[in-house]
Amino acid sequence: MYSFEHYIHFVDGKVTEDNLPKEVVVNDTTITFKYGEPIQLHVVVDVKNEMSLHYVFEDNVHAEVIETRHVEENGVLNRTFTNGAYSHVNFFNENEGTGKNTYLDEGHSSRDSMLQLGYSELSDASIEASYTFELDGEGADVRLRMAALSKDKEKKHYKVHIKHNAPHTTGIMDNYGVAKDEAHLVIDGIGTITNGQNGSASHQTNKIIVFDPKCYASANPFLYIDEYDVQASHAAGVGKMDEEHLYYLQSRGLTKRQAMQLITYGYLMPVVEVVDNQMIKERFELALSKVGA
């Protein structure tokens, strides 16, 4: 059940099981990571109604975290991330919700901190999500990678916002999605560089492939730049599945379902290629290997 030696399990905000290293302190629903040995922690979260969870990474902390969340119908999960100066955090999120779920993330990063996030959005739920990360200290770096699948009649909407409040900060997002059947999938990527944040860089990629005529997809990039000495770019697109690829795979002996599963896997795989952390790479690969299985 747990991927690391150290873990903690929350059910509606209450700890039901844990095995924590000395560098991790839990107070109610606040998990504080203290400076010491590099930390690996698996967090499992079960939410029936609404829950808030707070991650605090103190200065100089090095940590790898996996969070697995099971959110039931109409469940809401609110999270905050506080990243101390010079902290280095790789964080993987995997959703296993059902029904309609709401996710709200807010993060703040201090000087020369690095936060890399992987979001595996492959659950059987309809989702309304807002992920906002603010770079408050000079040299702060946030990199967000997401793979999203919307199928059947699911409706999934993600708003991903990285805001630069300090000079020489870096915000990068790579969002890849697949929409099938009669599903809806909308990804809004927002990069904001406020005035005076010279030397900052904001880059985003938002791409979705559509499998069926009755599904709906939209990839929307927004850049709000109020400073001249910066780097900023975006790439966004919604495309249709290539029927020739499907035909070729079926001609090689695959069923239509197997062929579509392979195409889905191939289209979402670029999110893995931009990740430079082995744990996040492996978790993405494991999640994507189960798509359509």
Side-chain angles (χ1 to χ4, degrees), residues 161-166 169 191-203 223-232:
H161 187 188
I162 299 179
K163 185 178 181 182
H164 301 251
N165 300 323
T169 49
T192 301
I193 301 179
T194 57
N195 183 258
Q197 316 319 333
N198 59 288
S200 294
S202 175
H203 302 290
L223 287 174
Y224 300 105
I225 310 298
D226 194 21
E227 176 62 44
Y228 290 102
D229 181 22
V230 298
Q231 298 179 31

Side-chain angles (χ1 to χ4, degrees), residues 8-17 28-29 44-46 51-52:
I8 185 168
H9 191 162
F10 290 94
V11 176
D12 286 333
K14 303 295 183 182
V15 177
T16 60
E17 188 176 17
D28 196 17
T29 56
V44 178
V45 182
D46 293 333
M51 178 180 165
S52 294

Side-chain angles (χ1 to χ4, degrees), residues 72-273:
E72 296 187 10
E73 175 77 36
N74 295 320
V76 179
L77 179 60
N78 300 280
R79 302 188 304 172
T80 63
F81 297 79
T82 303
N83 303 290
Y86 308 102
S87 60
H88 192 284
V89 178
N90 288 284
F91 199 112
F92 187 78
N93 308 271
E94 48 194 20
N95 288 342
E96 297 181 3
T98 57
K100 297 179 181 179
N101 302 160
T102 300
Y103 297 102
L104 302 170
D105 286 355
E106 181 178 330
H108 291 270
S109 293
S110 299
R111 181 182 182 87
D112 291 318
S113 61
M114 194 290 297
L115 174 63
Q116 182 168 213
L117 300 127
Y119 284 86
S120 174
E121 303 283 353
L122 309 174
S123 71
D124 296 329
S126 289
I127 291 174
E128 186 70 30
S130 177
Y131 304 142
T132 300
F133 293 89
E134 302 202 24
L135 305 171
D136 299 326
E138 185 171 359
D141 186 331
V142 169
R143 303 178 183 229
L144 189 151
R145 328 294 195 177
M146 181 169 68
L149 171 64
S150 193
K151 60 192 181 303
D152 301 323
K153 294 187 178 182
E154 296 165 4
K155 293 184 178 180
K156 296 184 177 181
H157 178 206
Y158 301 94
K159 183 175 76 171
V160 183
H161 187 188
I162 299 179
K163 185 178 181 182
H164 301 251
N165 300 323
H168 304 287
T169 49
T170 301
I172 299 174
M173 66 177 80
D174 295 279
N175 304 313
Y176 290 85
V178 171
K180 296 181 177 182
D181 309 313
E182 298 179 35
H184 286 216
L185 177 59
V186 177
I187 300 175
D188 299 324
I190 306 167
T192 301
I193 301 179
T194 57
N195 183 258
Q197 316 319 333
N198 59 288
S200 294
S202 175
H203 302 290
Q204 59 173 286
T205 299
N206 307 289
K207 294 186 177 181
I208 303 174
I209 188 170
V210 174
F211 274 42
D212 299 292
K214 290 186 177 182
C215 57
Y216 172 81
S218 181
N220 307 304
F222 301 93
L223 287 174
Y224 300 105
I225 310 298
D226 194 21
E227 176 62 44
Y228 290 102
D229 181 22
V230 298
Q231 298 179 31
S233 66
H234 66 76
V238 175
K240 293 183 179 180
M241 179 186 65
D242 190 331
E243 293 291 339
E244 291 186 3
H245 289 171
L246 184 62
Y247 174 78
Y248 172 77
L249 290 171
Q250 289 181 276
S251 73
R252 305 295 291 180
L254 297 181
T255 65
K256 183 176 181 179
R257 175 174 175 170
Q258 290 171 328
M260 293 179 72
Q261 178 184 352
L262 191 60
I263 293 170
T264 301
Y265 178 83
Y267 193 78
L268 295 176
M269 271 301 289
V271 77
V272 178
E273 296 168 3

